[in-house]
Structures are given as C-alpha cells and as structure tokens.
Amino acid sequence: MPINNRIADFHADLTAWRRDLHANPEIGFEEHRTAAVVAAKLEEFGIEVHRGLAGTGVVGTLRGNQPGDRSIALRADMDALPMPEANNFEHASKTPGKMHACGHDGHTVMLLGAARYLAETRNFAGTVHFVFQPAEEGGGGGRVMVEEGLFDKFPAEEVYGMHNWPGLPVGQFAGRVGPLMAATDQFEIAIEGRGGHAAQPNKTIDPVVVGSQIVGALQTIASRNADPIKSVVVSVTQFHAGSAFNVIPQSAWLCGTIRTFDADLRKQAQQRLQEIAEGIALAMGGSAKVDFRFGYPATVNHAAQTEKALAVAERVAGAGNVEHNVAPSMGGEDFAYMLLEKPGAYIFIGNGPEVEGQKLHQVNYDFNDEILPVGASYWAQLVEEVLTKAA
Ligand code: NI
C-alpha cells in the first residue's frame, strides 16, 4: 500500500497517541484533556492554534510554502460515548461509563498525523485548517462550531471529513456522491385517554389500545406514503403505560426516531406522523400530543469534491481499493452541518473485519491502529492535491 513513507515513519507515535486518547475518553463538550492534547501537539508542530470554538473545539491553521488564495478545512471528531468498555487490553478506558466506541480517538490522531507531516513539508499553496470538533455523538458539536463562526473565522472553500468503517477491509476507502448518512429526527407522542377498572373497558378510553393502533399505522409512512424509490425508517423505540394488572391507565407515552435522506420526504414523514397520531387518538376518543425534534440533517456529499476525494484515496490505496458507490447508512453524522455550509466530501476508511461485539458503539470495539498511517496519508495527499502549487 503506497502510504506516505514519512508518515509511516511515525506510525509508532501515532499508535501511542491513539491509545492514550482511547484510555482517557471524554464525552461531548467535555473533551478538555483531549483538546489540550490536540492543541499541544499542533503547537509542537509549529501550527497556529485557536482554542474554544464550541467550547472544547480546536482549530489549527497552516500555510503552505507557496502563497495561494485557496483554503480547505479537514475535520475530525474528538468525543467518546457514555457507555462502559468491556475490553481489558492495556489501553482500555480508565473512566468507568465512558468509551471511545466509535473510533473518534483514531479520527483525531489520523488528522494529527497529517498535520505533523504537512507542518514539516508544507508542500502546498494556500491554507489548511485542521478542525477538531467536540460532541459528534448527539450534541451537534459540528452545528455549534458552524453557528459560532467556524467558516467566518477560518474561511475555507471546501470541507472534508472521514469515518472508520468496520466491515471495510484495511487499506480500503469508500464513498459516494449524494446522501451518505441519514437525517436523524426524534419524536415523542403523549397519549391521553381515560383510565379505569380493567374489568370495565367500556367506561374507559384505553391509551394502550390507542397507542398500539398508532404504532401499527406509523408503519404506513414507509409502506404507503413514501415514494418507494426513496428510503425512510420509522422506529418506535419506547412504549410506556400502566402500572397494574387490573387498571387501564390514563395515559401512554411513545417515542422513536425517523431517518431519511431526502429533505421533502423528511418533512412529509414528520407531517404524516403528526396526522396519524392525532387522528387515531381522536377517532378513538382520546388525544395525542406530538413533540417532534429535528436532529442532524442528512449528510450529502458534493459531486466534484467527492470525486476528488475518492481519486486521492485511490492514489493512496490503489485503484482497486476504493469503492465509489458505497451503500448509504441510515446512521447520522453531524458533519452534515458543515456540508450545508461548504462543498465537501465525507468518506469511509476501512477498519478491518466487522466482528460481532466489536462493531461501532459496541463494548468490545477498538479503532484499528494499522490504519492510522493510511488515513493520515489520505489527509496529507488531499491537501497537496487540492491546494496544488503552480507549475
Ligand atoms: Ni462516529
């Protein structure tokens, strides 16, 4: 694999940095130690550092050895998850209840590796911003960075992101033009009926039956309302009601998630959810109140930047090792907010075989240190090719 030789030279350092971050996980907006480690390394490389964007966010700015007007931003996420780790290797989490189970420790270090190399070589024209963001896992750190002026303070024409992907072999990359990750919206439905004795259902309005009808009818959003060519997931994930064998409860409560790629379908699904819940409850004599919360928008890759990113990946990994039309995932990703502001591309880097128990967000997951120089080489090559020097 033609990874950058100079980057391969510091593979041992990258591995040590990654394991240090893995052992010291911090969750969204609490990445104080992680941010300090990142900022210290960037400064050590001679890169200008800006702290405090979105709280714990860190941005490093580096100029090439040839002047140029162009600038790009490369983004890595830094946060861990609020979950226990079941691994017992030496670098397992030292903090109970917190774990780097999504590989953001590896993402951070791949970008640091590229920053170190690019600071040594500066073989490009223009400016690169290394963006280390907090709180990808639900906190929307990417959105907060944008709202706090990421692209005003650090003007970048294009923005790039990357996620490790278990199930994609080591030494491979994958991506696609268009939607890659889904919009992740949430809903709560509060159903109000009339409680009473379970032996006298005729004197009640049973919210369990109302809720059951709603859960069943919500399946028709995907099967009857959505354009069959487009994808939507509607999952009811909680259903709470009642406290006794012989009491019909007064109320019930449901919640769940809707996943879409298409903005119109996203709106349509929200509207149908509301109509179905309220209409069914009303028809059965009760009432339903829907609280709908828009989450991350879909992560939609721009054509020119994605083609460029995958071409660069081919130069790092070899032509046969880059999938150009990977299947999108219904998972969410807050890099979406950056792609709404600037054209760019989000791609996957192979993390090796997908083993049950060791998938993303599972208790025995670990980022694969073998791929650190592969990812860092991609970042470095991307900068040198996008910010090309004049001939
Ligand atoms: Ni992740």
Side-chain angles (χ1 to χ4, degrees):
M1 192 186 322
I3 58 169
N4 183 296
N5 284 333
R6 177 64 191 132
I7 291 174
D9 282 348
F10 42 77
H11 193 176
D13 287 347
L14 300 184
T15 301
W17 300 350
R18 207 284 298 177
R19 292 182 178 188
D20 169 68
L21 293 183
H22 191 91
N24 296 282
E26 295 171 304
I27 61 170
F29 295 121
E30 294 176 7
E31 306 91 338
H32 299 287
R33 179 187 183 276
T34 309
V37 167
V38 166
K41 294 225 183 295
L42 292 174
E43 273 170 355
E44 186 189 314
F45 308 152
I47 292 173
E48 186 185 314
V49 174
H50 183 287
R51 295 176 181 78
L53 199 66
T56 44
V58 178
V59 181
T61 297
L62 180 70
R63 285 169 194 85
N65 62 13
Q66 190 167 319
D69 299 335
R70 301 209 59 211
S71 61
I72 61 171
L74 314 179
R75 169 275 203 177
D77 40 14
M78 300 188 290
D79 58 320
L81 284 153
M83 60 182 276
E85 175 158 6
N87 293 312
N88 48 20
F89 42 61
E90 211 174 304
H91 62 278
S93 171
K94 291 195 275 191
T95 312
K98 293 177 189 173
M99 176 188 178
H100 267 296
C102 203
H104 299 184
D105 47 350
H107 301 168
T108 298
V109 169
M110 289 190 291
L111 191 53
L112 282 174
R116 176 173 169 182
Y117 166 81
L118 289 165
E120 274 181 16
T121 53
R122 298 186 189 237
N123 189 27
F124 59 95
T127 306
V128 55
H129 301 292
F130 304 99
V131 178
F132 296 87
Q133 79 148 73
E136 192 286 319
E137 300 283 2
R143 173 179 51 77
V144 179
M145 284 194 109
V146 168
E147 284 171 359
E148 291 190 7
L150 174 65
F151 294 120
D152 302 322
K153 294 181 168 113
F154 308 97
E157 293 163 26
E158 300 175 357
V159 64
Y160 294 87
M162 173 159 61
H163 205 292
N164 78 95
W165 210 244
L168 188 65
V170 168
Q172 295 194 11
F173 292 87
R176 74 191 299 273
V177 173
L180 184 64
M181 309 285 284
T184 58
D185 301 327
Q186 296 177 2
F187 59 85
E188 292 182 25
I189 303 172
I191 299 160
E192 200 61 22
R194 186 166 65 236
H197 202 295
Q200 297 178 316
N202 53 310
K203 295 183 178 168
T204 71
I205 294 165
D206 187 344
V208 176
V209 176
V210 174
S212 303
Q213 299 288 334
I214 291 173
V215 172
L218 289 179
Q219 312 310 313
T220 64
I221 294 174
S223 67
R224 302 293 88 174
N225 298 140
D227 179 339
I229 304 304
K230 296 177 180 172
S231 301
V232 57
V233 172
V234 181
S235 291
V236 175
T237 54
Q238 295 187 52
F239 189 146
H240 300 278
S243 56
F245 282 103
N246 54 1
V247 177
I248 289 172
Q250 175 78 20
S251 58
W253 183 85
L254 312 176
C255 78
T257 181
I258 295 187
R259 308 286 170 115
T260 49
F261 295 118
D262 179 88
D264 290 337
L265 178 53
R266 187 185 192 193
K267 268 191 227 122
Q268 184 192 17
Q270 179 215 4
Q271 193 190 340
R272 286 305 295 144
L273 177 96
Q274 181 126 12
E275 290 166 354
I276 288 168
E278 291 176 355
I280 286 179
L282 190 67
M284 298 181 75
S287 65
K289 205 166 152 265
V290 178
D291 180 10
F292 195 90
R293 288 192 295 273
F294 287 101
Y296 298 168
T299 301
V300 182
N301 275 331
H302 298 248
Q305 289 71 23
T306 305
E307 278 154 16
K308 181 77 183 174
L310 294 174
V312 167
E314 284 191 341
R315 264 164 317 262
V316 174
N321 290 319
V322 178
E323 166 62 55
H324 286 249
N325 193 19
V326 71
S329 157
M330 295 310 279
E333 164 60 59
D334 81 346
F335 187 66
Y337 292 102
M338 297 189 186
L339 286 179
L340 288 176
E341 297 294 312
K342 299 287 172 184
Y346 187 74
I347 68 167
F348 297 144
I349 177 171
N351 196 57
E354 185 171 46
V355 179
E356 191 48 53
Q358 301 173 20
K359 298 177 185 175
L360 296 175
H361 294 208
Q362 288 191 319
V363 290
N364 284 110
Y365 170 85
D366 193 26
F367 184 89
N368 188 345
D369 289 317
E370 248 191 278
I371 72 171
L372 290 168
V374 184
S377 296
Y378 161 74
W379 281 137
Q381 182 85 13
L382 184 71
V383 170
E384 290 178 357
E385 287 199 33
V386 175
L387 302 177
T388 323
K389 292 163 86 162

